[in-house]
Amino acid sequence: MRLILLGAPGSGKGTQAERLAEAKGLVHISSGDLFRKAEKEGTELGKLAKSYMEKGLLVPDEVTIKMILERISEIDQGFMLDGFPRTLEQAQALDKALNKDGIDKAIYIDVSREELLRRLSGRWICKQCQAPYHMVSSPPKIAGRCDVCGGELYQRADDTRETAQKRLEVYFEQTAPLIDYYKESGRLLEVEGERSIEEVKENILKLLS
Ligand code: AP5
Ligand code: MG
């Protein structure tokens, strides 16, 4: 199974990808996590990505496509992409690399703009494994510590109100058109994202079965 999670910043892609990958035995591949890891390691890719991420802009297609296709080539099982593709060029490159059938399904998580901003401003992330939490809707069991690996939690630099607004603008302009791209090829599944984390997960699993 080759799946994509599609949705605006804060829609719950990372939250659901982690849970769905575990339930379905898929590898979770997040472009944002890979960029943040590269940034932490201080690589050239990380420095380049940081210069775009801190402004809320997309990292250039060429670099992003190369990074993701390399990651996909390393695994020989199903996967769940989170945050990629984000432009038409990325979507086409992915389909081409996966031969004629391309990906199986794109799952679109629909959330209103107001709720997206509320979620981003209350989000905390694990420094080690990047699992996302929310101060109000999904707090960790121990304050400041990741439930999964015990790592320290922090707030992403691009989750300030100003940068989050910019990311939303970029999403509606460059990424939202992908909803039609997958709808037209009969591969789009849509889920209402303003329900509890568990309900959203169960609804996606139902759609996939
Ligand atoms: P990336 O890391 O992908 O960020 P994003 O798309 O902006 O998405 P987020 O991670 O902010 O949101 P999410 O949907 O994962 O939500 P989450 O599950 O955390 O990208 C960052 C940057 O990297 C980009 O701006 C760009 O610069 C670059 N980049 C990445 N991919 C790229 C690409 N393909 N091309 C070019 N550049 C790229 O949830 C959010 C919060 O809500 C959490 O606090 C969570 O606990 C909470 N929450 C989740 N679900 C629920 C629910 N059902 N109810 C209540 N709260 C919930
Ligand atoms: Mg994410």
Side-chain angles (χ1 to χ4, degrees):
M1 213 184 243
R2 300 180 294 201
L3 304 174
I4 286 174
L5 275 177
L6 206 58
S11 58
K13 300 183 297 297
T15 301
Q16 294 300 332
E18 210 179 81
R19 290 163 172 79
L20 295 167
E22 198 188 325
K24 289 282 189 187
L26 305 171
V27 177
H28 171 200
I29 303 175
S30 158
S31 44
D33 287 358
L34 290 172
F35 284 138
R36 281 183 289 277
K37 184 166 169 276
E39 184 190 334
K40 200 172 148 193
E41 288 165 353
T43 64
E44 285 308 312
L45 173 68
K47 285 178 203 155
L48 178 83
K50 180 174 187 267
S51 68
Y52 289 92
M53 289 165 84
E54 66 191 7
K55 297 191 191 87
L57 301 174
L58 296 185
V59 179
D61 280 338
E62 201 189 319
V63 183
T64 309
I65 291 169
K66 184 168 175 278
M67 174 181 79
I68 293 293
L69 295 186
E70 269 174 21
R71 180 72 189 97
I72 289 175
S73 73
E74 290 164 7
I75 54 176
D76 53 7
Q77 70 188 97
F79 56 81
M80 166 150 279
L81 286 170
D82 151 17
F84 182 94
R86 255 175 153 96
T87 63
L88 198 56
E89 193 173 336
Q90 292 180 13
Q92 287 165 341
L94 179 65
D95 276 344
K96 201 170 152 214
L98 297 175
N99 305 322
K100 70 174 194 347
D101 298 329
I103 61 117
D104 300 310
K105 296 285 178 203
I107 302 154
Y108 167 53
I109 311 178
D110 189 15
V111 174
S112 67
R113 193 185 273 254
E114 214 173 59
E115 172 69 5
L116 294 170
L117 285 170
R118 190 195 69 81
R119 287 189 189 176
L120 294 174
S121 60
R123 173 166 61 183
W124 287 77
I125 302 281
C126 173
K127 256 187 193 164
Q128 276 177 49
C129 75
Q130 306 213 35
Y133 296 87
H134 191 277
M135 270 180 335
V136 181
S137 54
S138 76
K141 292 190 184 100
I142 300 167
R145 288 282 155 200
C146 176
D147 293 351
V148 183
C149 72
E152 191 189 331
L153 304 185
Y154 79 107
Q155 284 195 288
R156 266 169 55 177
D158 60 349
D159 276 348
T160 60
R161 199 163 179 92
E162 198 182 60
T163 312
Q165 296 263 25
K166 182 69 198 168
R167 283 158 59 208
L168 288 181
E169 255 174 56
V170 168
Y171 166 79
F172 286 109
E173 203 174 290
Q174 303 192 51
T175 309
L178 293 185
I179 297 168
D180 280 341
Y181 175 80
Y182 290 111
K183 198 182 265 174
E184 279 157 17
S185 50
R187 292 178 288 173
L188 191 78
L189 300 175
E190 285 187 61
V191 68
E192 166 56 58
E194 283 182 55
R195 293 179 184 273
S196 73
I197 292 174
E198 202 49 36
E199 274 177 288
V200 175
K201 177 189 147 191
E202 289 308 321
N203 288 340
I204 294 175
L205 288 173
K206 265 184 226 154
L207 287 173
L208 288 173
S209 64

